[in-house]
Amino acid sequence: MKKSLRIVSGVCNSVNPAGCFSNVRNWIEAEKKLPTIEGGPRSVLILGCSGGYGLGARIAVAFGAGSRTMGVSFERAPTVRKKASPGWYNNQVFDMAVAEAGLFSETLLGDAFSNETRKAVIKHVKKSGMGAFDLVIYSLASPMRIDPFTGETYHSTIKPTGEKLTGTTLDVATGRMTEVSFEPATDQEIASTVKVMGGEDWKLWIEALKGADMLAHNAKTIALSYIGPDATHAIYRSGTLGKAKEHLEATAAEINAIIAAEGGSAYVSVNRALVTRASVVIPIMSAYLCALNKVLKAKGLNENCHEQMSRLMRDRLYGADAVVATDEKGRIRMDDWEMRDDVQKETSDILRCLTPDNIEELTDWAGCSDELFGLFGFSPADRGL
Ligand code: NAD
């Protein structure tokens, strides 16, 4: 690997704009090859549009259904001295490709948790004439949130709850395995994480859009969650992040009560674990992710963020044969392939045998590492591999 290129805590010390451009173009070309999403949404708001699941969803609806999209993300624009953050380049190429295709998009940079951004979105929708939203995708992943009413700052933490946790983590950038341990989160850390990643802000968005008459009749809104297997529960589902996801999932019912009278519906989609800027910082999950990818690839079941969101739009929310099938808690399960018994059994068999010496052989660490550097626009060739 080129010595100068490093990723520490999910942040790379460089970015390759050309690589970001081709990543987005590849997802767009993949979507264009699929049949049109019948009955797809006309006007879509994507909160968290610049990477990962939000970008995948935006590409699916724009190029699969011809939807007009407005995207909001928190990305750094370039300066004379410094390149932009990867998501800024992703937004640029998305808007360019949309214009080339004769479609409509508008992309706003701002803090989606703020009331100012809500007002800006409403103002831009009215001005652009793109029409009230019939789909709102809530795909934010953030380490902090400023309460828009009190100005207080909340930080999310990634910790177990109840008991101390010791486990093995894998640095996806370097392939190094280390033992880690975490004290359980305090009640305050749990509450702060729920404040940042729970459903409060999702509900504020829906209330604001409804209040401004910017939600179409029969509008749908969807937020994303994760569950995962027992092997990751201590750090995720029963940890601080899982508490926030429980809150987010419960908020779907509150939002349904707000929009049901207009035919609207709120859903939570439980998606598969994937390498994104948000997920690689979750310790212990990384070893699971590399093992899972090996198994899914061998079975021809591996999907990226775009493929997951395209399947969600086509098979579950829209399309001639779409069925909004949910589990007993009302959640759409896009993690169905990840959670298949055979996939989970083989993944846990790998994890049981994993040592620092057999990572390359037993897991898809190399592929996950390529995906991680790819998020910053670097191909294996750019890294001298
Ligand atoms: P990501 O880091 O790739 O994308 C996060 C997006 O949120 C980016 O567009 C970023 O700019 C935006 N954002 C962050 N803070 C913001 C702010 N204050 N204002 C405006 N935009 C802001 O993350 P991701 O992995 O795609 O996660 C999206 C959602 O999917 C999260 O809710 C996550 O929990 C969920 N999810 C992720 C996985 C996974 O494995 N990656 C699995 C299931 C569910």
Side-chain angles (χ1 to χ4, degrees), residues 48-54 72-75 110-113 139-142 197 224-226 236 245 271-274 276-279:
C49 66
S50 60
Y53 278 116
V72 179
S73 58
F74 198 70
E75 299 293 343
D111 177 9
F113 296 130
S139 187
L140 298 178
S142 172
M197 289 296 288
L224 306 185
S225 189
Y226 182 70
Y236 197 98
K245 290 303 185 192
N271 283 66
R272 66 154 291 193
L274 267 171
T276 66
R277 279 189 292 160
S279 68

PDB file of all heavy atoms in Angstrom, residues 48-54 72-75 110-113 139-142 197 224-226 236 245 271-274 276-279, ligand 1:
ATOM      1  N   GLY A  48     -29.395  12.775   4.107  1.00  0.00           N
ATOM      2  CA  GLY A  48     -28.197  11.930   4.150  1.00  0.00           C
ATOM      3  C   GLY A  48     -27.942  11.335   2.779  1.00  0.00           C
ATOM      4  O   GLY A  48     -27.794  10.126   2.621  1.00  0.00           O
ATOM      5  N   CYS A  49     -27.880  12.232   1.751  1.00  0.00           N
ATOM      6  CA  CYS A  49     -27.905  11.775   0.349  1.00  0.00           C
ATOM      7  C   CYS A  49     -26.532  11.497  -0.248  1.00  0.00           C
ATOM      8  O   CYS A  49     -26.434  10.999  -1.359  1.00  0.00           O
ATOM      9  CB  CYS A  49     -28.577  12.857  -0.512  1.00  0.00           C
ATOM     10  SG  CYS A  49     -27.597  14.393  -0.588  1.00  0.00           S
ATOM     11  N   SER A  50     -25.442  11.832   0.467  1.00  0.00           N
ATOM     12  CA  SER A  50     -24.141  11.910  -0.212  1.00  0.00           C
ATOM     13  C   SER A  50     -23.312  10.640  -0.194  1.00  0.00           C
ATOM     14  O   SER A  50     -22.246  10.592  -0.789  1.00  0.00           O
ATOM     15  CB  SER A  50     -23.318  13.026   0.434  1.00  0.00           C
ATOM     16  OG  SER A  50     -23.137  12.728   1.804  1.00  0.00           O
ATOM     17  N   GLY A  51     -23.771   9.627   0.516  1.00  0.00           N
ATOM     18  CA  GLY A  51     -22.982   8.398   0.576  1.00  0.00           C
ATOM     19  C   GLY A  51     -23.830   7.262   1.101  1.00  0.00           C
ATOM     20  O   GLY A  51     -24.983   7.461   1.510  1.00  0.00           O
ATOM     21  N   GLY A  52     -23.279   6.060   1.060  1.00  0.00           N
ATOM     22  CA  GLY A  52     -23.916   4.890   1.663  1.00  0.00           C
ATOM     23  C   GLY A  52     -25.347   4.673   1.192  1.00  0.00           C
ATOM     24  O   GLY A  52     -25.663   4.791   0.000  1.00  0.00           O
ATOM     25  N   TYR A  53     -26.212   4.350   2.146  1.00  0.00           N
ATOM     26  CA  TYR A  53     -27.589   3.994   1.807  1.00  0.00           C
ATOM     27  C   TYR A  53     -28.385   5.156   1.205  1.00  0.00           C
ATOM     28  O   TYR A  53     -29.224   4.955   0.337  1.00  0.00           O
ATOM     29  CB  TYR A  53     -28.301   3.441   3.046  1.00  0.00           C
ATOM     30  CG  TYR A  53     -27.980   1.985   3.271  1.00  0.00           C
ATOM     31  CD1 TYR A  53     -27.288   1.556   4.401  1.00  0.00           C
ATOM     32  CD2 TYR A  53     -28.350   1.036   2.331  1.00  0.00           C
ATOM     33  CE1 TYR A  53     -26.983   0.211   4.591  1.00  0.00           C
ATOM     34  CE2 TYR A  53     -28.048  -0.308   2.508  1.00  0.00           C
ATOM     35  CZ  TYR A  53     -27.375  -0.711   3.635  1.00  0.00           C
ATOM     36  OH  TYR A  53     -27.077  -2.046   3.794  1.00  0.00           O
ATOM     37  N   GLY A  54     -28.133   6.377   1.673  1.00  0.00           N
ATOM     38  CA  GLY A  54     -28.880   7.522   1.136  1.00  0.00           C
ATOM     39  C   GLY A  54     -28.568   7.743  -0.336  1.00  0.00           C
ATOM     40  O   GLY A  54     -29.460   7.961  -1.159  1.00  0.00           O
ATOM     41  N   VAL A  72     -30.116  16.262   1.041  1.00  0.00           N
ATOM     42  CA  VAL A  72     -29.454  17.070   2.070  1.00  0.00           C
ATOM     43  C   VAL A  72     -28.310  16.243   2.644  1.00  0.00           C
ATOM     44  O   VAL A  72     -28.484  15.052   2.923  1.00  0.00           O
ATOM     45  CB  VAL A  72     -30.426  17.426   3.221  1.00  0.00           C
ATOM     46  CG1 VAL A  72     -29.709  18.253   4.290  1.00  0.00           C
ATOM     47  CG2 VAL A  72     -31.637  18.181   2.696  1.00  0.00           C
ATOM     48  N   SER A  73     -27.149  16.865   2.774  1.00  0.00           N
ATOM     49  CA  SER A  73     -26.037  16.159   3.420  1.00  0.00           C
ATOM     50  C   SER A  73     -25.104  17.169   4.060  1.00  0.00           C
ATOM     51  O   SER A  73     -25.176  18.369   3.784  1.00  0.00           O
ATOM     52  CB  SER A  73     -25.274  15.302   2.409  1.00  0.00           C
ATOM     53  OG  SER A  73     -24.785  16.102   1.362  1.00  0.00           O
ATOM     54  N   PHE A  74     -24.249  16.643   4.926  1.00  0.00           N
ATOM     55  CA  PHE A  74     -23.313  17.491   5.662  1.00  0.00           C
ATOM     56  C   PHE A  74     -21.926  17.163   5.141  1.00  0.00           C
ATOM     57  O   PHE A  74     -21.291  16.212   5.603  1.00  0.00           O
ATOM     58  CB  PHE A  74     -23.441  17.152   7.152  1.00  0.00           C
ATOM     59  CG  PHE A  74     -22.888  18.197   8.053  1.00  0.00           C
ATOM     60  CD1 PHE A  74     -23.515  19.419   8.181  1.00  0.00           C
ATOM     61  CD2 PHE A  74     -21.731  17.965   8.789  1.00  0.00           C
ATOM     62  CE1 PHE A  74     -23.004  20.400   9.023  1.00  0.00           C
ATOM     63  CE2 PHE A  74     -21.216  18.941   9.628  1.00  0.00           C
ATOM     64  CZ  PHE A  74     -21.854  20.155   9.745  1.00  0.00           C
ATOM     65  N   GLU A  75     -21.490  17.888   4.151  1.00  0.00           N
ATOM     66  CA  GLU A  75     -20.206  17.602   3.511  1.00  0.00           C
ATOM     67  C   GLU A  75     -19.400  18.889   3.402  1.00  0.00           C
ATOM     68  O   GLU A  75     -19.949  19.981   3.361  1.00  0.00           O
ATOM     69  CB  GLU A  75     -20.433  17.012   2.110  1.00  0.00           C
ATOM     70  CG  GLU A  75     -21.212  15.692   2.097  1.00  0.00           C
ATOM     71  CD  GLU A  75     -20.458  14.527   2.745  1.00  0.00           C
ATOM     72  OE1 GLU A  75     -19.237  14.633   2.919  1.00  0.00           O
ATOM     73  OE2 GLU A  75     -21.123  13.532   3.095  1.00  0.00           O
ATOM     74  N   GLY A 110     -25.945  21.151   4.478  1.00  0.00           N
ATOM     75  CA  GLY A 110     -26.358  21.798   5.725  1.00  0.00           C
ATOM     76  C   GLY A 110     -26.586  20.763   6.798  1.00  0.00           C
ATOM     77  O   GLY A 110     -26.563  19.555   6.536  1.00  0.00           O
ATOM     78  N   ASP A 111     -26.813  21.246   8.005  1.00  0.00           N
ATOM     79  CA  ASP A 111     -27.071  20.365   9.139  1.00  0.00           C
ATOM     80  C   ASP A 111     -28.549  19.977   9.139  1.00  0.00           C
ATOM     81  O   ASP A 111     -29.411  20.801   9.458  1.00  0.00           O
ATOM     82  CB  ASP A 111     -26.691  21.099  10.434  1.00  0.00           C
ATOM     83  CG  ASP A 111     -26.997  20.260  11.655  1.00  0.00           C
ATOM     84  OD1 ASP A 111     -27.341  19.067  11.501  1.00  0.00           O
ATOM     85  OD2 ASP A 111     -26.892  20.804  12.771  1.00  0.00           O
ATOM     86  N   ALA A 112     -28.808  18.729   8.767  1.00  0.00           N
ATOM     87  CA  ALA A 112     -30.211  18.283   8.655  1.00  0.00           C
ATOM     88  C   ALA A 112     -30.940  18.319   9.990  1.00  0.00           C
ATOM     89  O   ALA A 112     -32.170  18.262  10.025  1.00  0.00           O
ATOM     90  CB  ALA A 112     -30.254  16.875   8.076  1.00  0.00           C
ATOM     91  N   PHE A 113     -30.206  18.393  11.105  1.00  0.00           N
ATOM     92  CA  PHE A 113     -30.859  18.433  12.416  1.00  0.00           C
ATOM     93  C   PHE A 113     -31.373  19.830  12.758  1.00  0.00           C
ATOM     94  O   PHE A 113     -32.050  20.014  13.762  1.00  0.00           O
ATOM     95  CB  PHE A 113     -29.875  18.004  13.517  1.00  0.00           C
ATOM     96  CG  PHE A 113     -29.399  16.574  13.397  1.00  0.00           C
ATOM     97  CD1 PHE A 113     -28.041  16.273  13.441  1.00  0.00           C
ATOM     98  CD2 PHE A 113     -30.296  15.523  13.253  1.00  0.00           C
ATOM     99  CE1 PHE A 113     -27.592  14.963  13.351  1.00  0.00           C
ATOM    100  CE2 PHE A 113     -29.866  14.206  13.159  1.00  0.00           C
ATOM    101  CZ  PHE A 113     -28.504  13.921  13.206  1.00  0.00           C
ATOM    102  N   SER A 139     -31.828   8.887   6.140  1.00  0.00           N
ATOM    103  CA  SER A 139     -30.631   8.035   6.127  1.00  0.00           C
ATOM    104  C   SER A 139     -29.424   8.761   6.716  1.00  0.00           C
ATOM    105  O   SER A 139     -28.324   8.703   6.176  1.00  0.00           O
ATOM    106  CB  SER A 139     -30.334   7.577   4.688  1.00  0.00           C
ATOM    107  OG  SER A 139     -29.301   6.640   4.669  1.00  0.00           O
ATOM    108  N   LEU A 140     -29.659   9.445   7.840  1.00  0.00           N
ATOM    109  CA  LEU A 140     -28.550  10.164   8.469  1.00  0.00           C
ATOM    110  C   LEU A 140     -27.764   9.228   9.382  1.00  0.00           C
ATOM    111  O   LEU A 140     -28.349   8.376  10.047  1.00  0.00           O
ATOM    112  CB  LEU A 140     -29.080  11.317   9.322  1.00  0.00           C
ATOM    113  CG  LEU A 140     -29.856  12.424   8.616  1.00  0.00           C
ATOM    114  CD1 LEU A 140     -30.334  13.457   9.629  1.00  0.00           C
ATOM    115  CD2 LEU A 140     -29.007  13.090   7.547  1.00  0.00           C
ATOM    116  N   ALA A 141     -26.460   9.409   9.392  1.00  0.00           N
ATOM    117  CA  ALA A 141     -25.611   8.731  10.378  1.00  0.00           C
ATOM    118  C   ALA A 141     -24.636   9.793  10.853  1.00  0.00           C
ATOM    119  O   ALA A 141     -23.855  10.315  10.062  1.00  0.00           O
ATOM    120  CB  ALA A 141     -24.864   7.566   9.750  1.00  0.00           C
ATOM    121  N   SER A 142     -24.743  10.144  12.123  1.00  0.00           N
ATOM    122  CA  SER A 142     -23.941  11.269  12.603  1.00  0.00           C
ATOM    123  C   SER A 142     -23.433  10.994  14.014  1.00  0.00           C
ATOM    124  O   SER A 142     -24.126  10.371  14.815  1.00  0.00           O
ATOM    125  CB  SER A 142     -24.814  12.535  12.609  1.00  0.00           C
ATOM    126  OG  SER A 142     -24.125  13.581  13.233  1.00  0.00           O
ATOM    127  N   MET A 197     -29.252   9.542  17.258  1.00  0.00           N
ATOM    128  CA  MET A 197     -29.565   8.532  16.222  1.00  0.00           C
ATOM    129  C   MET A 197     -30.964   7.927  16.364  1.00  0.00           C
ATOM    130  O   MET A 197     -31.317   7.027  15.610  1.00  0.00           O
ATOM    131  CB  MET A 197     -28.508   7.410  16.243  1.00  0.00           C
ATOM    132  CG  MET A 197     -27.137   7.836  15.728  1.00  0.00           C
ATOM    133  SD  MET A 197     -27.131   8.305  13.979  1.00  0.00           S
ATOM    134  CE  MET A 197     -27.323   6.705  13.180  1.00  0.00           C
ATOM    135  N   LEU A 224     -33.799   3.972   8.330  1.00  0.00           N
ATOM    136  CA  LEU A 224     -33.035   2.723   8.259  1.00  0.00           C
ATOM    137  C   LEU A 224     -32.552   2.256   9.629  1.00  0.00           C
ATOM    138  O   LEU A 224     -32.143   3.062  10.463  1.00  0.00           O
ATOM    139  CB  LEU A 224     -31.809   2.909   7.357  1.00  0.00           C
ATOM    140  CG  LEU A 224     -32.093   3.441   5.956  1.00  0.00           C
ATOM    141  CD1 LEU A 224     -30.839   3.456   5.130  1.00  0.00           C
ATOM    142  CD2 LEU A 224     -33.157   2.616   5.263  1.00  0.00           C
ATOM    143  N   SER A 225     -32.597   0.934   9.788  1.00  0.00           N
ATOM    144  CA  SER A 225     -32.165   0.362  11.058  1.00  0.00           C
ATOM    145  C   SER A 225     -31.267  -0.841  10.815  1.00  0.00           C
ATOM    146  O   SER A 225     -31.053  -1.248   9.675  1.00  0.00           O
ATOM    147  CB  SER A 225     -33.400  -0.042  11.875  1.00  0.00           C
ATOM    148  OG  SER A 225     -33.018  -0.417  13.184  1.00  0.00           O
ATOM    149  N   TYR A 226     -30.725  -1.378  11.909  1.00  0.00           N
ATOM    150  CA  TYR A 226     -29.905  -2.588  11.812  1.00  0.00           C
ATOM    151  C   TYR A 226     -30.174  -3.465  13.030  1.00  0.00           C
ATOM    152  O   TYR A 226     -30.403  -2.949  14.130  1.00  0.00           O
ATOM    153  CB  TYR A 226     -28.404  -2.233  11.733  1.00  0.00           C
ATOM    154  CG  TYR A 226     -27.551  -3.462  11.575  1.00  0.00           C
ATOM    155  CD1 TYR A 226     -27.572  -4.194  10.384  1.00  0.00           C
ATOM    156  CD2 TYR A 226     -26.774  -3.937  12.629  1.00  0.00           C
ATOM    157  CE1 TYR A 226     -26.830  -5.357  10.243  1.00  0.00           C
ATOM    158  CE2 TYR A 226     -26.022  -5.099  12.494  1.00  0.00           C
ATOM    159  CZ  TYR A 226     -26.059  -5.805  11.301  1.00  0.00           C
ATOM    160  OH  TYR A 226     -25.333  -6.958  11.167  1.00  0.00           O
ATOM    161  N   TYR A 236     -23.845  -3.789  19.270  1.00  0.00           N
ATOM    162  CA  TYR A 236     -24.793  -3.022  18.451  1.00  0.00           C
ATOM    163  C   TYR A 236     -26.218  -3.050  19.014  1.00  0.00           C
ATOM    164  O   TYR A 236     -26.671  -2.094  19.639  1.00  0.00           O
ATOM    165  CB  TYR A 236     -24.772  -3.506  16.984  1.00  0.00           C
ATOM    166  CG  TYR A 236     -25.410  -2.465  16.092  1.00  0.00           C
ATOM    167  CD1 TYR A 236     -24.634  -1.553  15.390  1.00  0.00           C
ATOM    168  CD2 TYR A 236     -26.802  -2.333  16.017  1.00  0.00           C
ATOM    169  CE1 TYR A 236     -25.223  -0.553  14.630  1.00  0.00           C
ATOM    170  CE2 TYR A 236     -27.398  -1.337  15.256  1.00  0.00           C
ATOM    171  CZ  TYR A 236     -26.603  -0.466  14.572  1.00  0.00           C
ATOM    172  OH  TYR A 236     -27.192   0.530  13.843  1.00  0.00           O
ATOM    173  N   LYS A 245     -31.777   2.777  17.780  1.00  0.00           N
ATOM    174  CA  LYS A 245     -32.576   2.152  16.711  1.00  0.00           C
ATOM    175  C   LYS A 245     -33.944   1.722  17.241  1.00  0.00           C
ATOM    176  O   LYS A 245     -34.943   1.826  16.531  1.00  0.00           O
ATOM    177  CB  LYS A 245     -31.823   0.958  16.103  1.00  0.00           C
ATOM    178  CG  LYS A 245     -30.597   1.355  15.287  1.00  0.00           C
ATOM    179  CD  LYS A 245     -30.925   2.330  14.153  1.00  0.00           C
ATOM    180  CE  LYS A 245     -29.743   2.637  13.262  1.00  0.00           C
ATOM    181  NZ  LYS A 245     -29.979   3.771  12.343  1.00  0.00           N
ATOM    182  N   ASN A 271     -31.636  -2.887   7.214  1.00  0.00           N
ATOM    183  CA  ASN A 271     -30.737  -3.192   6.109  1.00  0.00           C
ATOM    184  C   ASN A 271     -29.556  -4.043   6.545  1.00  0.00           C
ATOM    185  O   ASN A 271     -29.285  -4.188   7.736  1.00  0.00           O
ATOM    186  CB  ASN A 271     -30.263  -1.898   5.449  1.00  0.00           C
ATOM    187  CG  ASN A 271     -31.354  -1.341   4.563  1.00  0.00           C
ATOM    188  OD1 ASN A 271     -32.405  -0.930   5.048  1.00  0.00           O
ATOM    189  ND2 ASN A 271     -31.135  -1.369   3.280  1.00  0.00           N
ATOM    190  N   ARG A 272     -28.849  -4.565   5.563  1.00  0.00           N
ATOM    191  CA  ARG A 272     -27.717  -5.439   5.864  1.00  0.00           C
ATOM    192  C   ARG A 272     -26.493  -4.612   6.291  1.00  0.00           C
ATOM    193  O   ARG A 272     -26.383  -3.424   5.959  1.00  0.00           O
ATOM    194  CB  ARG A 272     -27.356  -6.311   4.657  1.00  0.00           C
ATOM    195  CG  ARG A 272     -26.818  -5.547   3.462  1.00  0.00           C
ATOM    196  CD  ARG A 272     -25.912  -6.412   2.600  1.00  0.00           C
ATOM    197  NE  ARG A 272     -24.663  -6.711   3.289  1.00  0.00           N
ATOM    198  CZ  ARG A 272     -23.594  -7.234   2.705  1.00  0.00           C
ATOM    199  NH1 ARG A 272     -23.632  -7.535   1.420  1.00  0.00           N
ATOM    200  NH2 ARG A 272     -22.483  -7.466   3.387  1.00  0.00           N
ATOM    201  N   ALA A 273     -25.568  -5.259   6.977  1.00  0.00           N
ATOM    202  CA  ALA A 273     -24.305  -4.618   7.363  1.00  0.00           C
ATOM    203  C   ALA A 273     -23.438  -4.445   6.130  1.00  0.00           C
ATOM    204  O   ALA A 273     -23.272  -5.383   5.354  1.00  0.00           O
ATOM    205  CB  ALA A 273     -23.587  -5.482   8.387  1.00  0.00           C
ATOM    206  N   LEU A 274     -22.923  -3.248   5.935  1.00  0.00           N
ATOM    207  CA  LEU A 274     -22.076  -2.947   4.783  1.00  0.00           C
ATOM    208  C   LEU A 274     -20.989  -1.953   5.177  1.00  0.00           C
ATOM    209  O   LEU A 274     -21.157  -1.195   6.133  1.00  0.00           O
ATOM    210  CB  LEU A 274     -22.933  -2.296   3.693  1.00  0.00           C
ATOM    211  CG  LEU A 274     -23.528  -3.243   2.649  1.00  0.00           C
ATOM    212  CD1 LEU A 274     -24.519  -2.506   1.783  1.00  0.00           C
ATOM    213  CD2 LEU A 274     -22.439  -3.851   1.779  1.00  0.00           C
ATOM    214  N   THR A 276     -19.469   1.303   5.181  1.00  0.00           N
ATOM    215  CA  THR A 276     -19.732   2.715   4.870  1.00  0.00           C
ATOM    216  C   THR A 276     -18.891   3.552   5.837  1.00  0.00           C
ATOM    217  O   THR A 276     -18.321   3.017   6.795  1.00  0.00           O
ATOM    218  CB  THR A 276     -21.222   3.108   5.069  1.00  0.00           C
ATOM    219  OG1 THR A 276     -21.527   3.002   6.459  1.00  0.00           O
ATOM    220  CG2 THR A 276     -22.159   2.233   4.252  1.00  0.00           C
ATOM    221  N   ARG A 277     -18.892   4.857   5.617  1.00  0.00           N
ATOM    222  CA  ARG A 277     -18.114   5.703   6.529  1.00  0.00           C
ATOM    223  C   ARG A 277     -18.636   5.578   7.958  1.00  0.00           C
ATOM    224  O   ARG A 277     -17.901   5.678   8.923  1.00  0.00           O
ATOM    225  CB  ARG A 277     -18.152   7.165   6.050  1.00  0.00           C
ATOM    226  CG  ARG A 277     -17.156   7.422   4.934  1.00  0.00           C
ATOM    227  CD  ARG A 277     -17.041   8.887   4.628  1.00  0.00           C
ATOM    228  NE  ARG A 277     -18.258   9.413   4.039  1.00  0.00           N
ATOM    229  CZ  ARG A 277     -18.591  10.687   4.020  1.00  0.00           C
ATOM    230  NH1 ARG A 277     -17.800  11.588   4.585  1.00  0.00           N
ATOM    231  NH2 ARG A 277     -19.690  11.086   3.434  1.00  0.00           N
ATOM    232  N   ALA A 278     -19.954   5.341   8.084  1.00  0.00           N
ATOM    233  CA  ALA A 278     -20.540   5.251   9.428  1.00  0.00           C
ATOM    234  C   ALA A 278     -20.248   3.907  10.084  1.00  0.00           C
ATOM    235  O   ALA A 278     -19.997   3.840  11.288  1.00  0.00           O
ATOM    236  CB  ALA A 278     -22.053   5.471   9.335  1.00  0.00           C
ATOM    237  N   SER A 279     -20.261   2.821   9.299  1.00  0.00           N
ATOM    238  CA  SER A 279     -20.193   1.495   9.934  1.00  0.00           C
ATOM    239  C   SER A 279     -18.775   1.052  10.293  1.00  0.00           C
ATOM    240  O   SER A 279     -18.602   0.266  11.223  1.00  0.00           O
ATOM    241  CB  SER A 279     -20.854   0.446   9.034  1.00  0.00           C
ATOM    242  OG  SER A 279     -20.088   0.253   7.868  1.00  0.00           O
TER     243      SER A 279
HETATM  244  P1  NAD B   1     -22.957   7.129   5.645  1.00  0.00           P
HETATM  245  O1  NAD B   1     -21.940   7.622   6.586  1.00  0.00           O
HETATM  246  O2  NAD B   1     -22.502   6.465   4.396  1.00  0.00           O
HETATM  247  O3  NAD B   1     -23.963   8.320   5.233  1.00  0.00           O
HETATM  248  C1  NAD B   1     -24.457   9.209   6.199  1.00  0.00           C
HETATM  249  C2  NAD B   1     -25.086  10.392   5.504  1.00  0.00           C
HETATM  250  O4  NAD B   1     -25.573  11.286   6.534  1.00  0.00           O
HETATM  251  C3  NAD B   1     -24.103  11.212   4.655  1.00  0.00           C
HETATM  252  O5  NAD B   1     -24.777  11.659   3.500  1.00  0.00           O
HETATM  253  C4  NAD B   1     -23.791  12.424   5.548  1.00  0.00           C
HETATM  254  O6  NAD B   1     -23.410  13.600   4.850  1.00  0.00           O
HETATM  255  C5  NAD B   1     -25.145  12.598   6.215  1.00  0.00           C
HETATM  256  N1  NAD B   1     -25.090  13.389   7.446  1.00  0.00           N
HETATM  257  C6  NAD B   1     -24.450  13.108   8.615  1.00  0.00           C
HETATM  258  N2  NAD B   1     -24.683  14.094   9.506  1.00  0.00           N
HETATM  259  C7  NAD B   1     -25.487  14.999   8.907  1.00  0.00           C
HETATM  260  C8  NAD B   1     -26.067  16.216   9.303  1.00  0.00           C
HETATM  261  N3  NAD B   1     -25.904  16.723  10.527  1.00  0.00           N
HETATM  262  N4  NAD B   1     -26.821  16.895   8.387  1.00  0.00           N
HETATM  263  C9  NAD B   1     -27.006  16.419   7.123  1.00  0.00           C
HETATM  264  N5  NAD B   1     -26.488  15.258   6.706  1.00  0.00           N
HETATM  265  C10 NAD B   1     -25.727  14.558   7.589  1.00  0.00           C
HETATM  266  O7  NAD B   1     -23.902   6.145   6.516  1.00  0.00           O
HETATM  267  P2  NAD B   1     -24.786   4.864   6.177  1.00  0.00           P
HETATM  268  O8  NAD B   1     -24.053   3.668   6.660  1.00  0.00           O
HETATM  269  O9  NAD B   1     -25.307   4.915   4.797  1.00  0.00           O
HETATM  270  O10 NAD B   1     -25.969   5.083   7.226  1.00  0.00           O
HETATM  271  C11 NAD B   1     -27.228   5.606   6.877  1.00  0.00           C
HETATM  272  C12 NAD B   1     -28.282   4.941   7.754  1.00  0.00           C
HETATM  273  O11 NAD B   1     -28.306   3.535   7.470  1.00  0.00           O
HETATM  274  C13 NAD B   1     -28.003   5.068   9.251  1.00  0.00           C
HETATM  275  O12 NAD B   1     -29.209   5.265   9.942  1.00  0.00           O
HETATM  276  C14 NAD B   1     -27.429   3.696   9.605  1.00  0.00           C
HETATM  277  O13 NAD B   1     -27.611   3.364  10.958  1.00  0.00           O
HETATM  278  C15 NAD B   1     -28.265   2.818   8.695  1.00  0.00           C
HETATM  279  N6  NAD B   1     -27.715   1.479   8.450  1.00  0.00           N
HETATM  280  C16 NAD B   1     -26.406   1.324   8.093  1.00  0.00           C
HETATM  281  C17 NAD B   1     -25.900   0.043   7.921  1.00  0.00           C
HETATM  282  C18 NAD B   1     -24.449  -0.190   7.544  1.00  0.00           C
HETATM  283  O14 NAD B   1     -23.948  -1.290   7.743  1.00  0.00           O
HETATM  284  N7  NAD B   1     -23.766   0.778   6.967  1.00  0.00           N
HETATM  285  C19 NAD B   1     -26.750  -1.080   8.064  1.00  0.00           C
HETATM  286  C20 NAD B   1     -28.102  -0.866   8.365  1.00  0.00           C
HETATM  287  C21 NAD B   1     -28.570   0.419   8.580  1.00  0.00           C
END
